[in-house]
Amino acid sequence: MNHREKLLTVYQDIAKIEVNQIILPEKYQNYVAEVARNCFKRKAAHTVLITLLVHKILHSSQDIRYHQAEMMDGFSGRSIDTKYITPTLTELGLPAMAESGWLTRSFEQPYPYTLSYNGNISPKSLKIAFLNIIDFVQTHSEKTEDVLKLLLKLIKSAKDDNLVEIVKLTNPEKLSIQNVINALEEHFNHNYATVGGSKLPVIAFYAIYQLLIKEISRYSFCKLGKLGSHTASDRTSRTAGDIEIFNQNNHLVEAIEVKHGQEITLQIVYRAREKIVKYNPRRYYIFAAKDVKQSEQEEINKLITQISSEHGCQVILNGIIPTIKYYLRLIESISDFIDGYSQLVASDNELQKIHKEKWNEILGRLMNEE
């Protein structure tokens, strides 16, 4: 049995039990609950922990604190995660990293996960919980599967609690483009006091492009790349942008990068050039909430000209809202856009419940304006 098969088996088992049937010392129940509470905000923590727990079940003699193959008697936790755990969590619809929990600096440090581990895992309560759980299963390996069951049970419960059914507008065709723009601006810019909101403009563009590739001749025979994680850093991301468009030969033709709450700086365009060199799109769009940084305007223009000359890629800079407003004029049905955006918001695991409830609140007011 490999790690994927074991994880699936344990996940299937949790449907048959209640939380109170999993017997663990109260102290460690609380630690597991702390990891589960952070499953949307700090996905690397539970991803790494699940990987270690599954490996411990399959190889009980392994000291899972030694999570890198270069460590004495260690093993490659990252390889197991990348090949088996993260893809399986994604398949199950549970919060998951883009590739691996070990690609975050907090967990990739070349030191064992002992109680004195110095990696900057935050908040501190999560670090304490994570390290104590690992310490517990090292000395009580017979309890490893119970720990994994409780963790998966609580994460699934958190995921279920995060589900919000988005209301459906009764007469969306009566809405004006300005009504929709106002609604999106409010949804993007509300102070949520939590992570995840920066993905909302990305989702809006993705919903628009789902329609554009069907309706605009420029995109004939093109397809959208999968809407991925918005939390992956440029250092670890294997994509050219937040949204990618491929032709029938699976070659990248356009990439879209969305910078919510930011202005376009020279550094942002330099990072775009690195991706252009690597992935070779014909067009690269950067949409930001604010204008181009005025003190860097001249240098940015020179760099864009250079990119066009050397790489044959047109870099296009514009604002998020002006671009969405323009695209909404191009698509055939505002109703289709609202439906698509609502479905993406409802199903996205990186968004918090508050983001989904806010969209419902906004839609409720829109219905009163119909």
Side-chain angles (χ1 to χ4, degrees):
M1 181 176 288
N2 63 34
H3 295 77
R4 177 184 184 276
E5 293 165 343
K6 187 62 187 179
L7 176 54
L8 287 174
T9 299
V10 175
Y11 187 77
Q12 289 160 4
D13 287 345
I14 67 172
K16 308 167 191 172
I17 57 174
E18 300 297 328
V19 167
N20 58 14
Q21 293 177 277
I22 303 171
I23 308 302
L24 291 170
E26 184 178 0
K27 174 181 177 181
Y28 294 98
Q29 290 182 36
N30 292 337
Y31 285 146
V32 174
E34 175 66 17
V35 176
R37 267 193 298 273
N38 284 276
C39 69
F40 290 105
K41 299 177 184 178
R42 300 288 185 268
K43 292 184 294 233
H46 74 262
T47 302
V48 170
L49 185 55
I50 288 170
T51 303
L52 299 178
L53 293 173
V54 171
H55 194 68
K56 186 68 173 176
I57 294 169
L58 294 175
H59 304 277
S60 60
S61 63
Q62 174 68 53
D63 189 331
I64 56 172
R65 295 173 299 181
Y66 294 83
H67 56 95
Q68 294 183 6
E70 294 77 13
M71 298 175 180
M72 186 174 292
D73 298 323
F75 69 104
S76 179
R78 173 176 167 177
S79 298
I80 294 167
D81 181 17
T82 302
K83 185 175 181 180
Y84 297 111
I85 303 302
T86 287
T88 306
L89 292 175
T90 303
E91 177 187 330
L92 293 170
L94 298 177
M97 297 292 289
E99 182 180 339
S100 168
W102 268 272
L103 292 179
T104 58
R105 290 186 176 89
S106 302
F107 294 95
E108 69 178 1
Q109 302 300 312
Y111 308 108
Y113 294 143
T114 62
L115 294 175
S116 59
Y117 177 70
N118 284 327
N120 186 28
I121 303 170
S122 62
K124 187 176 180 181
S125 58
L126 177 61
K127 179 177 182 178
I128 292 170
F130 175 83
L131 296 176
N132 273 276
I133 291 168
I134 294 172
D135 184 72
F136 175 70
V137 298
Q138 263 310 119
T139 53
H140 299 82
S141 61
E142 75 282 358
K143 287 292 187 181
T144 306
E145 191 156 332
D146 288 332
V147 172
L148 180 58
K149 285 179 179 178
L150 180 59
L151 180 57
L152 290 173
K153 190 84 176 173
L154 294 178
I155 290 174
K156 184 179 185 303
S157 178
K159 175 213 166 186
D160 292 343
D161 288 344
N162 197 45
L163 294 176
V164 174
E165 185 177 353
I166 304 296
V167 300
K168 193 170 179 66
L169 296 178
T170 53
N171 293 301
E173 65 279 357
K174 294 183 179 180
L175 291 174
S176 68
I177 288 175
Q178 192 58 51
N179 287 145
V180 177
I181 288 296
N182 293 342
L184 291 173
E185 282 198 273
E186 181 180 353
H187 198 213
F188 298 166
N189 298 324
H190 180 76
N191 182 14
Y192 294 102
T194 188
V195 297
S198 63
K199 192 174 184 180
L200 294 172
V202 178
I203 292 174
F205 276 109
Y206 196 84
I208 288 172
Y209 273 95
Q210 284 180 320
L211 300 173
L212 289 179
I213 62 169
K214 297 175 184 176
E215 299 174 4
I216 304 296
S217 60
R218 170 180 172 79
Y219 298 115
S220 295
F221 307 109
C222 288
K223 62 181 179 180
L224 275 175
K226 182 181 177 183
L227 181 59
S229 170
H230 197 55
T231 60
S233 68
D234 286 337
R235 184 176 68 94
T236 61
S237 174
R238 293 187 175 182
T239 60
D242 294 312
I243 299 170
E244 297 174 307
I245 302 171
F246 299 90
N247 65 17
Q248 67 268 36
N249 297 318
N250 215 33
H251 294 147
L252 182 70
V253 292
E254 292 187 7
I256 299 97
E257 189 77 16
V258 182
K259 298 297 183 183
H260 179 55
Q262 300 181 50
E263 63 182 350
I264 299 174
T265 64
L266 185 61
Q267 183 59 36
I268 286 174
V269 182
Y270 271 125
R271 285 201 298 268
R273 184 178 68 174
E274 292 173 4
K275 293 185 177 183
I276 289 165
V277 171
K278 184 174 182 179
Y279 296 102
N280 196 30
R282 297 174 194 165
R283 288 188 180 181
Y284 198 101
Y285 297 91
I286 304 174
F287 301 137
K290 301 177 183 178
D291 293 332
V292 173
K293 188 173 183 179
Q294 286 304 303
S295 63
E296 298 179 354
Q297 176 80 65
E298 187 176 344
E299 288 299 311
I300 288 172
N301 290 340
K302 287 180 183 177
L303 181 56
I304 289 173
T305 301
Q306 182 185 357
I307 291 169
S308 176
S309 173
E310 295 179 359
H311 305 289
C313 178
Q314 186 178 5
V315 177
I316 299 166
L317 313 179
N318 205 4
I320 290 172
I321 292 300
T323 306
I324 291 177
K325 192 171 186 178
Y326 171 72
Y327 282 168
L328 289 179
R329 294 192 188 107
L330 291 181
I331 62 176
E332 294 179 6
S333 170
I334 292 178
S335 173
D336 288 346
F337 165 73
I338 293 174
D339 285 346
Y341 181 68
S342 295
Q343 289 169 17
L344 290 168
V345 167
S347 62
D348 195 278
N349 273 335
E350 288 187 336
L351 298 181
Q352 308 291 308
K353 190 173 185 178
I354 189 172
H355 302 121
K356 304 177 183 186
E357 291 175 335
K358 182 64 178 178
W359 185 237
N360 261 350
E361 175 198 321
I362 293 168
L363 289 178
R365 278 190 267 115
L366 282 178
M367 280 196 288
N368 293 330
E369 296 173 9
E370 293 174 15

